[in-house]
Coordinates of all heavy atoms in Angstrom, one line a residue:
Y1 N 0.8 -1.2 0.0 CA 0.0 0.0 0.0 C 0.9 1.2 0.0 O 1.9 1.3 0.7 CB -0.9 0.0 1.2 CG -1.9 -1.1 1.1 CD1 -1.7 -2.4 1.7 CD2 -3.2 -0.9 0.5 CE1 -2.6 -3.4 1.6 CE2 -4.1 -1.9 0.5 CZ -3.9 -3.1 1.0 OH -4.8 -4.1 0.9
D2 N 0.5 2.2 -0.8 CA 1.3 3.4 -0.9 C 0.8 4.6 -0.1 O 1.4 5.7 -0.2 CB 1.4 3.8 -2.4 CG 2.1 2.8 -3.2 OD1 3.1 2.2 -2.6 OD2 1.8 2.6 -4.4
S3 N -0.4 4.5 0.6 CA -0.9 5.6 1.3 C -1.8 5.1 2.4 O -2.1 3.9 2.5 CB -1.7 6.6 0.5 OG -2.8 5.9 0.0
S4 N -2.2 6.0 3.4 CA -3.1 5.7 4.4 C -3.9 6.9 4.7 O -3.5 8.0 4.4 CB -2.4 5.2 5.7 OG -1.8 4.0 5.5
F5 N -5.1 6.6 5.3 CA -6.0 7.7 5.7 C -6.3 7.5 7.2 O -6.7 6.4 7.6 CB -7.3 7.6 4.9 CG -8.3 8.7 5.2 CD1 -8.0 10.0 4.7 CD2 -9.4 8.5 5.9 CE1 -8.9 11.0 4.9 CE2 -10.3 9.6 6.2 CZ -10.0 10.8 5.6
V6 N -5.9 8.5 8.0 CA -6.0 8.3 9.5 C -7.1 9.2 10.0 O -7.2 10.4 9.7 CB -4.6 8.7 10.2 CG1 -4.7 8.5 11.7 CG2 -3.5 7.9 9.6
T7 N -8.0 8.6 10.8 CA -9.1 9.3 11.4 C -9.0 9.2 12.9 O -8.9 8.0 13.4 CB -10.5 8.7 11.0 OG1 -10.6 8.8 9.6 CG2 -11.6 9.5 11.6
V8 N -9.0 10.3 13.6 CA -8.9 10.3 15.1 C -10.2 10.9 15.6 O -10.5 12.0 15.2 CB -7.7 11.1 15.6 CG1 -7.6 11.2 17.1 CG2 -6.4 10.5 15.1
S9 N -10.8 10.2 16.5 CA -12.1 10.7 17.1 C -11.8 10.8 18.6 O -11.4 9.9 19.3 CB -13.2 9.7 16.9 OG -14.4 10.2 17.6
L10 N -12.0 12.0 19.2 CA -11.9 12.3 20.6 C -13.2 12.7 21.2 O -13.9 13.6 20.7 CB -10.9 13.4 20.8 CG -9.4 13.0 20.9 CD1 -8.5 14.2 20.9 CD2 -9.2 12.2 22.2
G11 N -13.6 12.1 22.3 CA -14.8 12.5 23.0 C -14.5 13.7 23.8 O -13.4 14.3 23.7
T12 N -15.4 14.3 24.5 CA -15.2 15.5 25.3 C -14.0 15.3 26.3 O -14.0 14.4 27.1 CB -16.4 15.9 26.0 OG1 -17.5 16.0 25.1 CG2 -16.2 17.2 26.8
V13 N -13.0 16.2 26.1 CA -11.8 16.2 27.0 C -12.2 16.7 28.3 O -12.8 17.8 28.5 CB -10.7 17.0 26.3 CG1 -9.5 17.1 27.3 CG2 -10.3 16.4 25.0
A14 N -11.8 16.0 29.4 CA -12.1 16.5 30.8 C -11.3 17.8 31.0 O -10.4 18.1 30.3 CB -11.7 15.4 31.8
T15 N -11.7 18.5 32.1 CA -11.1 19.8 32.4 C -9.6 19.7 32.6 O -9.1 18.7 33.1 CB -11.8 20.4 33.6 OG1 -11.6 19.4 34.7 CG2 -13.3 20.6 33.4
G16 N -8.9 20.7 32.3 CA -7.5 20.9 32.7 C -6.5 20.4 31.7 O -5.3 20.3 32.1
G17 N -6.8 19.9 30.5 CA -5.8 19.4 29.7 C -6.1 19.5 28.2 O -7.2 19.8 27.8
T18 N -5.2 19.1 27.4 CA -5.4 19.0 25.9 C -4.8 17.7 25.4 O -3.9 17.1 26.0 CB -4.7 20.1 25.2 OG1 -3.3 20.1 25.4 CG2 -5.2 21.5 25.6
F19 N -5.4 17.2 24.4 CA -4.8 16.0 23.7 C -4.5 16.3 22.3 O -5.2 17.0 21.6 CB -5.9 14.8 23.7 CG -6.0 14.1 25.0 CD1 -7.0 14.5 25.9 CD2 -5.2 13.1 25.3 CE1 -7.1 13.8 27.1 CE2 -5.3 12.4 26.5 CZ -6.3 12.8 27.4
T20 N -3.3 15.9 21.9 CA -2.8 16.1 20.5 C -2.5 14.8 19.9 O -1.6 14.1 20.4 CB -1.5 17.0 20.5 OG1 -1.8 18.2 21.2 CG2 -1.1 17.4 19.1
P21 N -3.2 14.4 18.8 CA -2.8 13.2 18.1 C -1.5 13.3 17.4 O -1.0 14.4 17.0 CB -3.9 13.1 17.0 CG -5.0 14.0 17.5 CD -4.3 15.1 18.2
L22 N -0.8 12.2 17.3 CA 0.6 12.1 16.7 C 0.6 10.8 16.0 O 0.2 9.7 16.5 CB 1.6 12.2 17.8 CG 3.1 12.1 17.4 CD1 3.4 13.4 16.6 CD2 4.0 12.0 18.6
L23 N 1.2 10.8 14.8 CA 1.3 9.6 13.9 C 2.8 9.2 13.9 O 3.7 10.1 13.7 CB 0.8 9.9 12.5 CG 0.6 8.7 11.6 CD1 -0.4 7.7 12.2 CD2 0.2 9.1 10.2
L24 N 3.0 7.9 14.1 CA 4.4 7.4 14.1 C 4.5 6.4 13.0 O 3.5 5.7 12.6 CB 4.7 6.7 15.4 CG 4.4 7.5 16.7 CD1 4.6 6.6 17.9 CD2 5.4 8.6 16.8
E25 N 5.7 6.2 12.4 CA 6.0 5.3 11.3 C 7.2 4.4 11.7 O 8.1 4.8 12.5 CB 6.2 6.0 10.0 CG 7.4 6.9 9.9 CD 7.5 7.7 8.7 OE1 6.8 7.4 7.7 OE2 8.4 8.6 8.6
S26 N 7.3 3.2 11.0 CA 8.4 2.3 11.3 C 8.7 1.5 10.1 O 7.7 1.1 9.3 CB 8.1 1.4 12.5 OG 9.1 0.4 12.6
A27 N 9.9 1.2 9.8 CA 10.3 0.3 8.7 C 10.2 -1.2 9.2 O 10.0 -2.1 8.4 CB 11.7 0.6 8.2
D28 N 10.4 -1.4 10.5 CA 10.6 -2.8 11.0 C 9.5 -3.2 12.0 O 9.5 -4.4 12.4 CB 11.9 -3.0 11.6 CG 12.2 -2.1 12.7 OD1 11.3 -1.4 13.2 OD2 13.4 -2.1 13.2
G29 N 8.6 -2.3 12.4 CA 7.6 -2.6 13.4 C 8.1 -2.6 14.8 O 7.3 -2.9 15.7
T30 N 9.3 -2.2 15.0 CA 9.9 -2.2 16.3 C 10.3 -0.8 16.8 O 10.0 -0.3 17.8 CB 11.1 -3.1 16.4 OG1 10.8 -4.4 16.1 CG2 11.7 -3.1 17.8
T31 N 11.0 -0.1 15.9 CA 11.5 1.3 16.1 C 10.6 2.3 15.4 O 10.6 2.3 14.2 CB 13.0 1.4 15.7 OG1 13.8 0.4 16.3 CG2 13.5 2.8 16.1
Y32 N 9.9 3.1 16.2 CA 9.0 4.1 15.6 C 9.5 5.5 15.8 O 10.2 5.8 16.8 CB 7.6 4.0 16.3 CG 6.8 2.8 15.8 CD1 7.0 1.5 16.4 CD2 5.9 2.9 14.8 CE1 6.2 0.5 16.0 CE2 5.2 1.8 14.3 CZ 5.3 0.6 14.9 OH 4.6 -0.5 14.5
G33 N 9.3 6.3 14.8 CA 9.6 7.7 14.8 C 8.4 8.6 14.4 O 7.5 8.1 13.7
T34 N 8.4 9.8 14.7 CA 7.4 10.7 14.3 C 7.4 11.0 12.8 O 8.4 11.1 12.2 CB 7.5 12.1 15.0 OG1 7.6 11.9 16.5 CG2 6.4 13.1 14.7
V35 N 6.2 10.9 12.2 CA 6.0 11.2 10.8 C 6.3 12.6 10.5 O 5.8 13.5 11.2 CB 4.6 10.8 10.3 CG1 4.4 11.2 8.9 CG2 4.4 9.3 10.5
A36 N 7.2 12.9 9.5 CA 7.5 14.2 9.1 C 6.2 14.9 8.4 O 5.4 14.2 7.8 CB 8.6 14.2 8.1
Q37 N 6.1 16.2 8.7 CA 5.0 16.9 8.1 C 4.9 16.8 6.6 O 3.8 16.8 6.0 CB 5.0 18.4 8.5 CG 3.8 19.2 8.1 CD 2.5 18.6 8.7 OE1 2.4 18.3 9.8 NE2 1.5 18.6 7.8
A38 N 6.0 16.6 5.9 CA 6.0 16.5 4.5 C 5.3 15.2 4.0 O 4.9 15.1 2.8 CB 7.5 16.5 4.0
S39 N 5.2 14.2 4.9 CA 4.6 13.0 4.5 C 3.1 12.9 4.9 O 2.4 11.9 4.7 CB 5.3 11.8 5.3 OG 6.6 11.7 4.9
L40 N 2.6 14.1 5.4 CA 1.2 14.1 5.8 C 0.4 15.1 4.9 O 0.9 16.1 4.4 CB 1.0 14.6 7.2 CG 1.6 13.7 8.3 CD1 1.5 14.4 9.7 CD2 0.9 12.4 8.3
Q41 N -0.8 14.8 4.6 CA -1.8 15.7 4.0 C -2.7 16.2 5.0 O -3.6 15.5 5.4 CB -2.5 15.0 2.9 CG -1.7 14.5 1.7 CD -2.5 13.9 0.6 OE1 -3.4 13.1 0.9 NE2 -2.1 14.1 -0.6
G42 N -2.5 17.4 5.5 CA -3.2 17.9 6.7 C -2.4 17.9 7.9 O -1.2 17.4 7.9
T43 N -2.9 18.4 9.0 CA -2.2 18.3 10.3 C -3.2 18.0 11.4 O -4.4 18.2 11.3 CB -1.6 19.7 10.6 OG1 -2.7 20.7 10.6 CG2 -0.6 20.1 9.6
F44 N -2.6 17.4 12.5 CA -3.4 17.2 13.7 C -3.4 18.4 14.6 O -2.3 19.1 14.7 CB -2.9 16.0 14.5 CG -3.1 14.6 13.8 CD1 -2.0 13.9 13.3 CD2 -4.4 14.1 13.6 CE1 -2.2 12.7 12.7 CE2 -4.6 12.9 13.0 CZ -3.5 12.2 12.6
A45 N -4.5 18.7 15.2 CA -4.5 19.9 16.1 C -4.8 19.4 17.5 O -5.5 18.3 17.7 CB -5.6 20.8 15.6
A46 N -4.4 20.1 18.5 CA -4.7 19.8 19.9 C -6.2 20.0 20.2 O -6.8 20.9 19.6 CB -3.9 20.7 20.8
V47 N -6.8 19.1 21.0 CA -8.2 19.2 21.4 C -8.2 19.7 22.8 O -7.7 19.0 23.7 CB -8.9 17.9 21.2 CG1 -10.4 18.0 21.6 CG2 -8.9 17.5 19.7
A48 N -8.8 20.8 23.1 CA -8.7 21.4 24.4 C -9.9 20.9 25.3 O -10.8 20.3 24.8 CB -8.8 22.9 24.3
A49 N -9.7 21.2 26.6 CA -10.7 20.8 27.6 C -12.1 21.4 27.2 O -12.2 22.5 26.8 CB -10.3 21.3 29.0
G50 N -13.1 20.5 27.5 CA -14.4 20.9 27.2 C -14.9 20.8 25.8 O -16.0 21.1 25.5
S51 N -14.0 20.3 24.9 CA -14.4 20.1 23.5 C -14.1 18.7 23.0 O -13.5 17.9 23.7 CB -13.7 21.1 22.6 OG -12.3 21.0 22.7
A52 N -14.7 18.4 21.9 CA -14.5 17.1 21.3 C -14.0 17.3 19.9 O -14.0 18.4 19.4 CB -15.8 16.3 21.3
G53 N -13.5 16.3 19.2 CA -13.1 16.5 17.8 C -13.0 15.3 17.0 O -12.8 14.2 17.5
L54 N -13.1 15.5 15.7 CA -12.9 14.4 14.7 C -11.9 15.0 13.7 O -12.1 16.0 13.1 CB -14.2 14.0 14.0 CG -14.1 13.0 12.9 CD1 -13.7 11.6 13.6 CD2 -15.4 12.8 12.2
Q55 N -10.7 14.3 13.5 CA -9.7 14.8 12.7 C -9.3 13.8 11.7 O -9.2 12.6 12.0 CB -8.5 15.3 13.5 CG -8.8 16.3 14.5 CD -7.5 16.8 15.3 OE1 -6.4 16.8 14.7 NE2 -7.7 17.1 16.5
R56 N -9.0 14.2 10.4 CA -8.6 13.3 9.4 C -7.3 13.8 8.7 O -7.2 15.0 8.4 CB -9.7 13.2 8.3 CG -11.0 12.6 8.8 CD -12.1 12.7 7.8 NE -13.4 12.8 8.4 CZ -14.0 13.9 8.6 NH1 -13.5 15.1 8.3 NH2 -15.2 13.9 9.2
V57 N -6.4 12.9 8.5 CA -5.1 13.3 7.9 C -4.7 12.2 6.9 O -4.8 11.0 7.3 CB -4.0 13.5 9.0 CG1 -2.6 13.7 8.4 CG2 -4.4 14.7 9.8
G58 N -4.1 12.5 5.8 CA -3.6 11.5 4.8 C -2.1 11.3 5.1 O -1.4 12.2 5.5
Y59 N -1.7 10.1 4.8 CA -0.3 9.7 5.0 C 0.3 9.2 3.6 O -0.3 8.3 3.0 CB -0.1 8.6 6.0 CG 1.2 8.0 6.1 CD1 2.3 8.7 6.8 CD2 1.5 6.8 5.6 CE1 3.5 8.2 6.9 CE2 2.8 6.2 5.7 CZ 3.8 6.9 6.3 OH 5.1 6.4 6.4
L60 N 1.4 9.8 3.2 CA 2.1 9.4 2.0 C 3.5 9.0 2.2 O 4.3 9.1 1.2 CB 2.0 10.5 0.9 CG 0.5 10.8 0.4 CD1 0.5 12.1 -0.4 CD2 -0.1 9.7 -0.3
G61 N 3.9 8.6 3.4 CA 5.3 8.3 3.7 C 5.7 7.0 3.2 O 5.0 6.2 2.5
T62 N 6.9 6.6 3.6 CA 7.5 5.3 3.2 C 7.5 4.2 4.3 O 8.0 3.1 4.1 CB 8.9 5.5 2.7 OG1 9.7 6.1 3.8 CG2 8.9 6.4 1.5
G63 N 7.0 4.5 5.5 CA 7.0 3.6 6.6 C 6.1 2.4 6.3 O 5.0 2.5 5.7
R64 N 6.5 1.2 6.6 CA 5.7 0.0 6.4 C 4.6 -0.1 7.5 O 3.6 -0.7 7.3 CB 6.6 -1.2 6.4 CG 5.9 -2.5 6.1 CD 6.8 -3.7 6.0 NE 6.0 -4.9 5.7 CZ 6.5 -6.1 5.6 NH1 7.8 -6.3 5.7 NH2 5.7 -7.1 5.4
Y65 N 4.9 0.3 8.7 CA 4.0 0.2 9.8 C 3.7 1.6 10.3 O 4.5 2.5 10.4 CB 4.7 -0.6 11.0 CG 5.1 -2.0 10.6 CD1 6.4 -2.2 10.1 CD2 4.2 -3.0 10.6 CE1 6.8 -3.5 9.8 CE2 4.6 -4.3 10.3 CZ 5.9 -4.5 9.9 OH 6.2 -5.8 9.5
L66 N 2.4 1.8 10.8 CA 2.0 3.0 11.3 C 1.4 2.8 12.7 O 0.8 1.7 13.0 CB 0.9 3.7 10.5 CG 1.3 4.2 9.1 CD1 0.1 4.8 8.4 CD2 2.4 5.3 9.3
N67 N 1.5 3.8 13.6 CA 1.0 3.7 14.9 C 0.6 5.1 15.3 O 1.1 6.1 14.7 CB 2.1 3.2 15.9 CG 1.5 2.8 17.2 OD1 0.3 2.8 17.4 ND2 2.4 2.3 18.1
S68 N -0.4 5.3 16.2 CA -0.8 6.6 16.6 C -0.8 6.7 18.1 O -1.1 5.7 18.8 CB -2.3 6.8 16.1 OG -2.8 8.0 16.6
V69 N -0.5 7.8 18.6 CA -0.5 8.1 20.1 C -1.2 9.4 20.3 O -1.3 10.3 19.4 CB 0.9 8.1 20.7 CG1 1.6 6.8 20.6 CG2 1.7 9.2 20.1
L70 N -1.8 9.6 21.5 CA -2.3 10.9 21.9 C -1.4 11.4 23.0 O -1.2 10.8 24.0 CB -3.7 10.7 22.5 CG -4.8 10.2 21.5 CD1 -6.1 9.9 22.1 CD2 -5.0 11.3 20.4
T71 N -0.9 12.6 22.7 CA -0.1 13.3 23.7 C -0.9 14.2 24.6 O -1.7 15.0 24.1 CB 1.0 14.2 23.0 OG1 1.7 13.3 22.1 CG2 1.9 14.8 24.0
F72 N -0.8 14.0 25.9 CA -1.6 14.7 26.9 C -0.8 15.9 27.5 O 0.4 15.7 27.8 CB -2.1 13.8 28.0 CG -2.9 14.5 29.1 CD1 -4.2 14.9 28.8 CD2 -2.4 14.7 30.3 CE1 -4.9 15.6 29.8 CE2 -3.1 15.3 31.3 CZ -4.4 15.8 31.0
G73 N -1.4 17.0 27.5 CA -0.7 18.2 28.1 C -1.6 18.8 29.1 O -2.8 19.0 28.9
G74 N -1.0 19.2 30.3 CA -1.8 19.8 31.3 C -2.1 18.9 32.5 O -1.4 17.9 32.7
T75 N -3.1 19.2 33.2 CA -3.5 18.4 34.3 C -5.0 18.0 34.2 O -5.7 18.6 33.4 CB -3.4 19.1 35.7 OG1 -4.2 20.3 35.6 CG2 -1.9 19.5 35.9
G76 N -5.4 17.0 34.8 CA -6.8 16.6 34.7 C -6.9 15.1 34.3 O -6.0 14.4 34.3
A77 N -8.2 14.8 33.9 CA -8.5 13.4 33.5 C -8.4 13.3 32.0 O -7.9 14.1 31.3 CB -9.9 13.1 34.0
G78 N -8.9 12.2 31.5 CA -8.7 11.8 30.1 C -9.9 12.1 29.3 O -10.8 12.9 29.6
A79 N -10.0 11.4 28.2 CA -11.1 11.5 27.2 C -11.2 10.2 26.5 O -10.2 9.4 26.3 CB -10.9 12.6 26.2
S80 N -12.4 9.8 26.0 CA -12.6 8.6 25.2 C -12.0 8.9 23.8 O -12.1 10.1 23.3 CB -14.0 8.2 25.1 OG -14.8 9.3 24.6
S81 N -11.4 7.9 23.2 CA -10.8 8.2 21.9 C -10.8 6.9 21.0 O -10.9 5.8 21.6 CB -9.4 8.7 22.0 OG -8.6 7.7 22.6
A82 N -10.7 7.1 19.7 CA -10.6 6.0 18.8 C -9.8 6.5 17.6 O -9.8 7.6 17.2 CB -12.0 5.6 18.3
V83 N -8.9 5.6 17.1 CA -8.1 5.9 15.9 C -8.3 4.8 14.9 O -8.3 3.6 15.2 CB -6.6 5.9 16.3 CG1 -5.8 6.2 15.0 CG2 -6.4 7.0 17.3
L84 N -8.6 5.2 13.6 CA -8.8 4.3 12.5 C -7.8 4.6 11.4 O -7.7 5.7 11.0 CB -10.2 4.4 12.0 CG -10.6 3.5 10.8 CD1 -10.6 2.1 11.2 CD2 -12.0 3.9 10.3
I85 N -7.0 3.6 11.0 CA -6.0 3.8 10.0 C -6.5 2.9 8.8 O -6.5 1.7 8.9 CB -4.6 3.4 10.4 CG1 -4.2 4.3 11.6 CG2 -3.6 3.5 9.3 CD1 -2.9 4.0 12.2
N86 N -6.8 3.5 7.7 CA -7.2 2.8 6.5 C -6.1 2.8 5.5 O -5.6 3.9 5.2 CB -8.5 3.5 5.8 CG -9.7 3.3 6.7 OD1 -10.0 2.3 7.2 ND2 -10.4 4.5 6.9
R87 N -5.8 1.7 4.9 CA -4.8 1.6 3.8 C -5.4 2.0 2.5 O -6.5 1.8 2.2 CB -4.2 0.2 3.8 CG -3.5 -0.2 5.1 CD -3.1 -1.6 5.0 NE -4.2 -2.5 5.0 CZ -4.2 -3.8 5.1 NH1 -3.0 -4.4 5.2 NH2 -5.2 -4.5 5.1
G88 N -4.5 2.6 1.6 CA -5.0 3.0 0.3 C -3.9 2.8 -0.7 O -2.7 2.6 -0.4
H89 N -4.3 2.9 -2.0 CA -3.4 2.8 -3.2 C -2.6 1.5 -3.1 O -1.4 1.5 -3.0 CB -2.5 4.0 -3.3 CG -3.3 5.3 -3.5 ND1 -3.5 6.2 -2.5 CD2 -3.8 5.8 -4.6 CE1 -4.2 7.2 -3.0 NE2 -4.4 7.0 -4.3
P90 N -3.3 0.3 -3.2 CA -2.5 -0.9 -3.2 C -1.7 -1.1 -4.5 O -2.1 -0.7 -5.5 CB -3.6 -2.0 -3.1 CG -4.8 -1.4 -3.6 CD -4.7 0.1 -3.3
S91 N -0.5 -1.7 -4.4 CA 0.3 -2.0 -5.6 C -0.3 -3.1 -6.4 O -0.2 -3.2 -7.6 CB 1.7 -2.3 -5.2 OG 1.8 -3.4 -4.3
R92 N -1.0 -4.1 -5.7 CA -1.7 -5.2 -6.3 C -3.1 -5.2 -5.6 O -3.1 -5.3 -4.4 CB -1.0 -6.5 -6.2 CG 0.3 -6.5 -7.0 CD 1.0 -7.8 -6.8 NE 1.4 -7.9 -5.4 CZ 2.4 -8.6 -4.9 NH1 3.0 -9.4 -5.7 NH2 2.7 -8.6 -3.7
S93 N -4.1 -5.3 -6.4 CA -5.4 -5.4 -5.8 C -6.1 -6.6 -6.3 O -5.8 -7.1 -7.4 CB -6.3 -4.1 -6.1 OG -6.3 -3.9 -7.5
P94 N -7.1 -7.2 -5.6 CA -7.8 -8.3 -6.1 C -8.6 -8.1 -7.3 O -8.9 -7.0 -7.7 CB -8.8 -8.7 -4.9 CG -8.8 -7.5 -4.0 CD -7.6 -6.7 -4.3
L95 N -8.9 -9.2 -8.1 CA -9.6 -9.0 -9.3 C -11.0 -8.6 -9.1 O -11.7 -8.9 -8.2 CB -9.6 -10.4 -10.1 CG -8.2 -10.8 -10.5 CD1 -8.3 -12.2 -11.1 CD2 -7.6 -9.8 -11.5

């Protein structure tokens, strides 16, 4: 696959903090690094306390494996979240 589409859904963030989605890539599935902005179509934004969000970003990098993390900043409790990574542009597709 030559691309991916990443969707991050955050429920209402509890008071006192922010969550920022981050996409990681790896060639071997063991060592992950942050995806460079040049490999993304769009950007992830911080979701502040008292709000919720749905964010979508395209990935055109060369990593074989992708992973996502939510970086928490501030104090307070958490939020419900879900991340969906869809693969796209297969080099070989079924008949």
Side-chain angles (χ1 to χ4, degrees):
Y1 292 90
D2 293 330
S3 68
S4 292
F5 185 73
V6 182
T7 304
V8 176
S9 176
L10 274 168
T12 302
V13 176
T15 59
T18 61
F19 282 95
T20 305
L22 180 66
L23 192 61
L24 306 173
E25 65 185 350
S26 172
D28 59 9
T30 303
T31 305
Y32 284 86
T34 303
V35 173
Q37 185 58 44
S39 296
L40 296 177
Q41 293 180 320
T43 58
F44 288 115
V47 178
S51 61
L54 180 66
Q55 300 182 35
R56 296 175 209 94
V57 173
Y59 171 78
L60 295 171
T62 58
R64 183 174 181 184
Y65 301 94
L66 291 177
N67 198 357
S68 177
V69 296
L70 293 172
T71 304
F72 179 71
T75 60
S80 59
S81 64
V83 176
L84 179 64
I85 300 176
N86 293 311
R87 298 176 291 187
H89 298 99
S91 59
R92 291 179 294 205
S93 56
L95 297 175

